[in-house]
Amino acid sequence: MTEQQASSRSVVKMFTKARNFPQLIGKAPDGRKIPGGPYTLTQFVGAGIAGGLLWLTQSLWAQGSVITNGAIFLGITGGTLWVLGRLPQGARNPISVVRGVGRAATGAMSPSKINGEPIRIKRPHAVLGSVIILDTPPIHGGAIGEPTAARAPRERAENAAAPVELGNNAVPDAPAFRPLTQPRPERKTVPAPARPRADDERQRTQSPALAEAFDLANLAPASSVQQLLAMAAAAPTPTREKA
Amino acid sequence: MQQPNRLVTSNLRWTRSGVVWADYVLTGIPYGYRPIEDRQTARAMHKMLLRALPGESLLLSVAVSLDPMTIVERMERGVDLDLHPAWADECDATIDRLEEIRPGQRIYWLSIPLANHGFGDTIKSATSAAWSSVADLMGMPPSSIPVEERERRAAQAAQIAAAIPAFYDATPATPSQMVWLHQHALQRGLGLDTDMPTAMEHPAGTARGSFTAARLDEGAQSDRPESGWRAKAPTLSRVLKVDQPWEVTPPPASYQCFLVLAATPSGGTLFPGSEYLTLADNLGGVDVDWAIRFKNSAASEVLKKNRRALVQMNDQYTQREDELSTGSVLDDAAVALAEYNALLEADAMEMEVQSTTIFCVAAADEETAIAYQRELAKEFEGSTYRLQAPIGFQEELFWAMTPGVPTPAICNEFAQITTSEHFAAYVPVTRNDLGDGDGPLIALNISSARTGVVHHDIAKKASRDVSGSVGVCGNLGSGKSGYLKTTGNQVVDRGGQVIVVDRTPLGEYALWAEAITDAVVVDTAAPDVTMDPLRLFSPARGGEVAVSILLPLLQLQPDDRLGVLLSQVLEPEYRARFGNFTTPGLVSHLESECTLDGARELAGKLKVYATKSYAAALFRADLQPFNPRAGAIVFRTHTLELPSEREVENEHLFKQMSLQKRVGRMMYTLIAQIARGICFADPNTLAVFLLDECHHLTRSSEGVEIIIDFIRDGRKHDAAVMLGSHDPEADFGSETLRGLIPTRLVFRQTDRRLAQKSLKWLGVGENDLDLLKELMENTSPVEGKDGFVAPHRRGEGYMRDPAGNVGRIKVLLPASEARYQAASTTPKESTTERAAELATW
């Protein structure tokens, strides 16, 4: 390194220790020396708490003679004093360390949070409840099918996400326009056209354009429950043949 | 904890705590290999920045991997790929290569909480924040912030921004950038980052929903097995798992480890060399984000605190007077306190900077994240800085690195205090950027372990009124010719033209040119095309060029009898009268048809050369002119002899010069003239004159003039020159020429003198011993006794770009296989370059 460079170099430092130096207590307020001192604040407070607790809970542990009790009292208090004295000086606040460890230890118990909201996961359970499915008798130009016919299949084609309509009368509508000569249809449900698979959010949110285009009754199944029902109904599982 | 933002507009965020934060994106100050004066300036800039930020602030540095597609898009910018399929191939091949290298960059983000002025102000913002929390709880739609309030805060933020030195180019962040930052925090270590949106995109507000919710899981408790005792026991792991398991396609979980700077070297560090934050870039392949929570206070306040500390200290001396020694701790503290007080009192503008530095490493799994954490701590330990990962506080530290969150309590435990003057020496906001914003990718920026990319667009330089010319110097086999070929290749592939002088006996450049394009190779020894200027140029220009090369060849003065005659017969009108004779025709014309005085004498002089084989390219009549529009034109000059410097400067030696040397000298000038003619012809096509071992041309003053012409006027004609040499002082002609080359590259120089010259030319301290040593010994070092450069060390060097930025680079050869082969293959038994060192890299 040249002269010029050496002179342009300067020492850089932090002055943290100028204000954060260990605080020790070695003397009583009257100036007398405290035996065994000086003690750190942590030692002082820690041993004080230990001693205080022991004093208050004498009824629980002070069963023996005065000498035994005295030995236990001094032993535990002195032990605390000694252990706390081993802590490195000038390091982190011991209370905060204890808090951190405590938090790490109890973190396992508390439910995980999403955006501040605790999420409590319920135990796995079966979804029960029996359902009776009634087959609709074939009606030629029947009354039930009437509104379906009026609604025209065009809407079905456009509204691809609505494979089946769930009317108030929980029974799947039979196509009203079925020619008379044909035999009874094999399936009561119409196989659902494949759901449009889009990668973006469109799949989850409902397009406002769609909502405007159809009146409420004709809306595509909006809620997830409705979607599930729709998918279940569309699945090509054979329905029980029951009259 | 909830994400802190309540309302975001322009660069302001109203947060749940009631505080308004203003966000800015900063640009780093050029640092790295800058000379010491520039580093001092950078330090001064940092001091001013710190003093402009009273109170709390958060400085974030985000390491983002550059998306290979983004880099390739920069390479493709302005090039029609349909017209240049070779460039499209090169770009495609570059994607794969970049996937392996994972280059990155740093983004600096400054977030400042705006102070509330007065009690009423505080109450108002607190009420507003409280109301929004209540409204949230009750499911009411979020309310907006009154326009007056928004304007008032914007003005307040602008006032702070105005105090930030202009060098940082503090740009107000946009809501989309804030969302990007939030997203980045959720997926650290996964390499999923997109490019940060530019300020121009989506300047409007953003919905609160854009700040995606995430699950923060301290200790990765959710990874415990379902059953067994482990399912109940805490993991006690110092990691924060961030995931979004409810998404339809959940992104992979990010495991983040946070470390805090717990101790700095007790005796202090030397500046320069104190930039501890650059240590975070030394972990190759690991993205380290860092944040500094500042709390700056005015000297008057600090002096009060110091006085209190002094009282305490005196008390401590009393408390501990019975100890045999009060220990060095208290004495050290007393010395530090005295010095600190002195510093604060000496400068009225001085401030206390209280800082907590937090680092974050992350990975896609817990083990890797923990391993990175250890590695980072070790890296800092090596420089006697201590990092700690406090257990149980990982989530708090996550929030400490998030703008808009009040400083968590844990930060105060690790706070370090110093003056702004001292903290500025840690120069956190720096950059080592080199080269252009787009254009061909020429090298990796290896100034730090965080590899960057260097683009260099010769063509675009012209439109920015800078010459695109490049000078390269380095030892044999240091990567010079590899670089020249690669750049030449890029010019050709992007629709430009290169004109090359190939001195090598085996035709290294000729082979290369033929491999990459429809090259014209003009061999001056055995020509199959002519170099006759009377056939290549227009009649008027051809005559001028012919006179300018024939006069020195024949050692004639322009104003003596034969000199005048030569000019006369090469006049376009005169030539037109005699059927536009060519140079070979000139001889026969002078011999037979010409009636002017001295024609026979001149013919005699010309015939001396006309019959020589080494002058055939000029005097043979049966040759056809070459296509001056060819992608590459290579002049092979290995047989030409050149006069030595003494022969040129010494008159009697000059007169005795051999014919070969005279022809050699003439040929070089002719080549330069032809190159100039071709390159300057079309101002819309980039044409580059590529000269390795350029001393052959720069030895003659005509050659130097032509090259200076290239650099000075080239940008108007889209022409540039690329010079390769060993010794920048001896070979790059005059002082003017050396100074005029804007882009300079220096490769390995093992000789001390040459290395010093190179560094001087590069513009960094030639006396910087560390740099000198690095250039001589640690730049593509030749290891082992057979002189072998390890493949991964090839092509290392230094670059200075036209803006004056200097950095360490590693030159990249072409990415596509065929181009790579062409650029890296040196003909066997070549005498100019050592094959072993250039074979592959």
Side-chain angles (χ1 to χ4, degrees):
Chain A
M1 193 170 306
T2 60
E3 291 275 315
Q4 177 240 335
Q5 266 188 305
S7 64
S8 62
R9 287 200 157 191
S10 56
V11 177
V12 183
K13 53 178 137 177
M14 295 284 191
F15 294 101
T16 316
K17 61 184 168 197
R19 284 222 300 266
N20 293 3
F21 42 87
Q23 304 280 330
L24 273 73
I25 299 163
K27 294 199 168 159
D30 58 359
R32 269 187 305 123
K33 190 172 174 283
I34 301 175
Y39 300 105
T40 62
L41 206 60
T42 319
Q43 271 178 304
F44 216 75
V45 173
I49 289 173
L53 282 177
L54 286 172
W55 190 257
L56 291 174
T57 55
Q58 274 184 66
S59 54
L60 295 175
W61 57 269
Q63 309 295 338
S65 67
V66 178
I67 298 170
T68 334
N69 289 352
I72 292 173
F73 181 82
L74 288 178
I76 292 180
T77 317
T80 317
L81 206 61
W82 183 79
V83 167
L84 293 178
R86 309 295 296 171
L87 289 179
Q89 289 185 8
R92 281 180 61 196
N93 179 0
I95 298 173
S96 150
V97 176
V98 170
R99 245 184 77 210
V101 174
R103 209 186 288 182
T106 55
M109 268 90 87
S110 58
S112 61
K113 288 179 182 174
I114 292 160
N115 215 357
E117 288 292 314
I119 305 298
R120 289 193 176 76
I121 300 160
K122 286 189 183 142
R123 279 185 30 223
H125 55 275
V127 180
L128 302 172
S130 54
V131 181
I132 299 168
I133 296 176
L134 286 177
D135 263 355
T136 330
I139 305 163
H140 308 296
I144 303 170
E146 199 66 62
T148 323
R151 258 185 249 136
R154 179 181 56 86
E155 287 177 14
R156 289 189 179 210
E158 272 182 48
N159 195 353
V164 278
E165 268 107 16
L166 294 158
N168 286 336
N169 47 351
V171 185
D173 299 322
F177 46 87
R178 184 165 47 82
L180 289 169
T181 48
Q182 271 194 2
R184 204 178 137 170
E186 284 179 329
R187 259 191 224 149
K188 271 155 216 78
T189 51
V190 190
R195 276 178 60 200
R197 284 193 68 83
D199 290 327
D200 51 12
E201 303 242 313
R202 252 186 296 142
Q203 210 168 326
R204 270 168 279 133
T205 54
Q206 196 188 333
S207 145
L210 200 69
E212 279 167 27
F214 303 97
D215 57 347
L216 262 172
N218 289 338
L219 270 181
S223 76
S224 55
V225 177
Q226 275 175 310
Q227 272 185 355
L228 277 174
L229 277 171
M231 279 195 286
T237 44
T239 26
R240 263 185 293 168
E241 290 291 327
K242 268 271 168 65
Chain B
M1 213 182 123
Q2 279 181 298
Q3 66 88 11
N5 306 299
R6 229 178 87 208
L7 182 138
V8 165
T9 168
S10 61
N11 68 327
L12 301 175
R13 29 178 128 211
W14 273 260
T15 64
R16 290 181 185 283
S17 61
V19 182
V20 185
W21 291 63
D23 288 24
Y24 293 91
V25 179
L26 302 185
T27 311
I29 306 268
Y31 203 72
Y33 286 89
R34 285 282 186 145
I36 188 122
E37 300 79 31
D38 289 6
R39 294 192 228 178
Q40 302 273 22
T41 315
R43 180 179 177 178
M45 287 300 130
H46 277 85
K47 188 167 79 181
M48 285 164 75
L49 174 70
L50 289 165
R51 290 184 181 181
L53 302 171
E56 290 195 18
S57 49
L58 168 64
L59 176 68
L60 260 175
S61 170
V62 181
V64 269
S65 296
L66 273 176
D67 184 5
M69 297 305 288
T70 315
I71 297 168
V72 170
E73 188 268 319
R74 293 182 195 161
M75 291 171 68
E76 291 171 351
R77 216 173 280 165
V79 180
D80 188 341
L81 292 180
D82 292 335
L83 290 179
H84 307 296
W87 187 242
D89 288 348
E90 175 65 23
C91 289
D92 289 348
T94 305
I95 298 176
D96 296 338
R97 171 195 270 181
L98 290 173
E99 296 275 3
E100 289 168 25
I101 300 171
R102 287 203 340 126
Q105 60 174 1
R106 265 195 186 283
I107 288 168
Y108 295 102
W109 189 288
L110 181 67
S111 207
I112 313 160
L114 302 177
N116 289 319
H117 293 299
F119 186 65
D121 213 10
T122 315
I123 293 285
K124 216 157 71 186
S125 53
T127 330
S128 162
W131 170 245
S132 97
S133 301
V134 171
D136 260 11
L137 209 65
M138 290 163 37
M140 287 159 70
S143 55
S144 188
I145 305 282
V147 181
E148 311 85 68
E149 162 78 353
R150 271 190 257 168
E151 280 171 359
R152 195 172 63 85
R153 290 299 190 179
Q156 199 183 348
Q159 217 171 3
I160 296 176
I164 298 174
F167 285 85
Y168 293 97
D169 189 23
T171 318
T174 62
S176 53
Q177 285 174 334
M178 294 185 197
V179 171
W180 174 88
L181 184 70
H182 176 81
Q183 206 60 37
H184 167 83
L186 300 188
Q187 43 188 241
R188 286 189 186 116
L190 301 177
L192 294 176
D193 284 322
T194 52
D195 249 19
M196 184 166 81
T198 56
M200 301 312 287
E201 293 169 50
H202 326 295
T206 302
R208 189 155 46 164
S210 311
F211 291 91
T212 331
R215 177 171 72 171
L216 300 184
D217 178 5
E218 173 139 14
Q221 313 289 355
S222 54
D223 285 355
R224 289 172 303 178
E226 301 257 319
S227 58
W229 65 271
R230 280 183 177 280
K232 297 278 181 240
T235 57
L236 294 178
S237 173
R238 293 171 203 213
V239 74
L240 183 72
K241 181 184 172 190
V242 182
D243 63 353
Q244 290 143 316
W246 57 88
E247 290 287 343
V248 179
T249 47
S254 157
Y255 292 84
Q256 311 186 357
C257 287
F258 296 87
L259 297 112
V260 202
L261 181 71
T264 56
S266 53
T269 39
L270 282 176
F271 171 82
S274 53
E275 309 84 357
Y276 70 90
L277 288 156
T278 55
L279 293 175
D281 282 338
N282 285 359
L283 254 56
V286 183
D287 289 346
V288 183
D289 282 1
W290 52 257
I292 308 178
R293 283 266 173 179
F294 286 115
K295 191 178 168 195
N296 303 348
S297 3
S300 56
E301 265 172 70
V302 183
L303 286 173
K304 254 184 252 167
K305 279 190 203 166
N306 284 358
R307 221 165 294 141
R308 224 172 299 141
L310 189 64
V311 171
Q312 275 178 354
M313 192 173 288
N314 283 330
D315 177 53
Q316 280 305 303
Y317 274 110
T318 331
Q319 296 283 354
R320 300 174 69 171
E321 69 185 354
D322 292 326
E323 289 178 55
L324 285 175
S325 146
T326 45
S328 61
V329 182
L330 210 51
D331 291 343
D332 277 356
V335 172
L337 186 60
E339 190 185 345
Y340 189 39
N341 246 8
L343 284 174
L344 286 168
E345 278 166 352
D347 185 354
M349 304 283 287
E350 195 49 280
M351 272 184 141
E352 175 180 280
V353 176
Q354 181 185 321
S355 62
T356 311
T357 315
I358 306 146
F359 297 89
C360 175
V361 285
D365 62 277
E366 193 180 336
E367 289 75 37
T368 321
I370 300 270
Y372 287 166
Q373 185 184 34
R374 282 205 202 102
E375 236 175 278
L376 186 71
K378 194 147 262 169
E379 176 70 37
F380 274 78
E381 224 166 72
S383 308
T384 53
Y385 289 89
R386 195 154 51 82
L387 297 190
Q388 248 185 43
I391 192 165
F393 289 99
Q394 296 288 310
E395 187 182 337
E396 277 196 25
L397 292 172
F398 173 86
W399 291 116
M401 288 183 77
T402 311
V405 180
T407 310
I410 184 76
C411 288
N412 293 330
E413 280 187 57
F414 291 96
Q416 300 280 346
I417 54 172
T418 188
T419 60
S420 62
E421 168 86 35
H422 276 241
F423 194 89
Y426 298 122
V427 277
V429 188
T430 57
R431 69 187 164 97
N432 297 318
D433 292 359
L434 269 181
D436 301 332
D438 51 18
L441 182 68
I442 60 156
L444 297 177
N445 185 347
I446 52 166
S447 301
S448 69
R450 164 153 286 277
T451 311
V453 286
V454 183
H455 296 276
H456 180 67
D457 193 348
I458 297 175
K460 207 165 272 176
K461 287 277 184 307
S463 57
R464 292 184 196 135
D465 285 349
V466 185
S467 167
S469 299
V470 182
V472 190
C473 74
N475 268 172
L476 292 173
S478 59
K480 234 179 342 124
S481 61
Y483 165 74
L484 288 173
K485 283 183 207 164
T486 308
T487 311
N489 203 333
Q490 290 165 344
V491 171
V492 172
D493 284 352
R494 288 162 68 96
Q497 198 179 12
V498 280
I499 294 164
V500 190
V501 178
D502 186 357
R503 274 283 299 173
T504 60
L506 287 156
E508 184 185 337
Y509 284 92
L511 289 175
W512 161 74
E514 278 168 341
I516 62 162
T517 185
D518 54 335
V520 171
V521 177
V522 186
D523 191 340
T524 50
D528 40 23
V529 283
T530 181
M531 284 168 67
D532 183 358
L534 295 177
R535 296 180 73 179
L536 290 171
F537 291 95
S538 67
R541 179 78 191 126
E544 284 169 25
V545 173
V547 170
S548 76
I549 59 162
L550 289 177
L551 283 178
L553 178 71
L554 304 175
Q555 297 203 345
L556 296 175
Q557 297 303 312
D559 54 355
D560 71 11
R561 199 168 55 91
L562 293 180
V564 172
L565 172 66
L566 186 64
S567 306
Q568 242 173 340
V569 294
L570 289 172
E571 286 288 326
E573 294 80 26
Y574 181 88
R575 276 180 63 221
R577 265 190 280 142
F578 293 94
N580 275 330
F581 53 79
T582 60
T583 307
L586 172 68
V587 183
S588 51
H589 169 76
L590 286 172
E591 254 185 340
S592 50
E593 291 171 311
C594 189
T595 52
L596 294 168
D597 178 32
R600 305 290 174 276
E601 195 185 343
L602 189 60
K605 272 187 172 257
L606 278 170
K607 273 177 92 177
V608 173
Y609 299 99
T611 50
K612 298 289 180 289
S613 69
Y614 44 82
L618 186 62
F619 287 109
R620 236 168 78 181
D622 57 336
L623 299 174
Q624 288 304 308
F626 60 85
N627 170 22
R629 290 267 151 270
I633 299 167
V634 183
F635 293 101
R636 295 199 58 190
T637 61
H638 56 288
T639 51
L640 293 182
E641 280 184 43
L642 278 171
S644 69
E645 217 162 303
R646 278 182 59 221
E647 282 172 313
V648 177
E649 282 166 4
N650 205 319
E651 197 184 347
H652 81 273
L653 289 179
F654 186 74
K655 285 200 168 146
Q656 291 169 14
M657 208 197 292
S658 71
L659 292 181
Q660 281 100 322
K661 286 184 177 174
R662 290 182 194 196
V663 171
R665 190 157 182 255
M666 182 272 294
M667 279 293 187
Y668 264 105
T669 317
L670 178 59
I671 289 168
Q673 290 280 14
I674 292 173
R676 191 186 180 284
I678 295 173
C679 292
F680 282 40
D682 184 359
N684 296 318
T685 309
L686 174 67
V688 169
F689 186 26
L690 200 157
L691 269 168
D692 200 355
E693 317 282 333
C694 69
H695 56 93
H696 299 297
L697 189 61
T698 50
R699 194 178 289 182
S700 75
S701 57
E702 299 96 332
V704 172
E705 284 309 313
I706 288 172
I707 291 172
I708 290 184
D709 225 27
F710 258 97
I711 299 175
R712 281 195 177 142
D713 295 335
R715 61 182 177 83
K716 295 170 198 151
H717 304 274
D718 232 349
V721 64
M722 293 180 70
L723 303 175
S725 143
H726 299 143
D727 181 345
E729 275 186 20
D731 298 348
F732 289 159
S734 60
E735 188 83 34
T736 324
L737 177 55
R738 277 198 295 281
L740 277 173
I741 302 171
T743 308
R744 303 169 189 182
L745 277 84
V746 170
F747 292 101
R748 184 190 61 227
Q749 292 279 23
T750 40
D751 178 72
R752 191 182 186 83
R753 191 74 205 107
L754 285 177
Q756 275 178 333
K757 282 186 193 173
S758 301
L759 289 180
K760 186 181 173 195
W761 176 64
L762 199 65
V764 293
E766 58 183 306
N767 295 319
D768 189 335
L769 289 189
D770 298 340
L771 194 56
L772 194 66
K773 202 171 158 60
E774 195 177 50
L775 175 61
M776 286 166 61
E777 292 168 15
N778 203 16
T779 301
S780 295
V782 180
E783 281 154 354
K785 55 185 172 200
D786 50 350
F788 181 75
V789 182
H792 66 282
R793 298 294 310 260
R794 287 177 189 169
E796 289 176 356
Y798 297 84
M799 175 179 170
R800 174 195 186 271
D801 70 9
N805 296 318
V806 180
R808 196 167 150 87
I809 56 165
K810 179 180 162 59
V811 165
L812 293 171
L813 288 192
S816 63
E817 187 57 33
R819 294 286 191 254
Y820 175 84
Q821 290 300 342
S824 62
T825 312
T826 311
K828 283 201 182 92
E829 295 154 23
S830 160
T831 50
T832 51
E833 302 279 7
R834 282 152 81 178
E837 289 174 29
L838 266 174
T840 48
W841 47 262

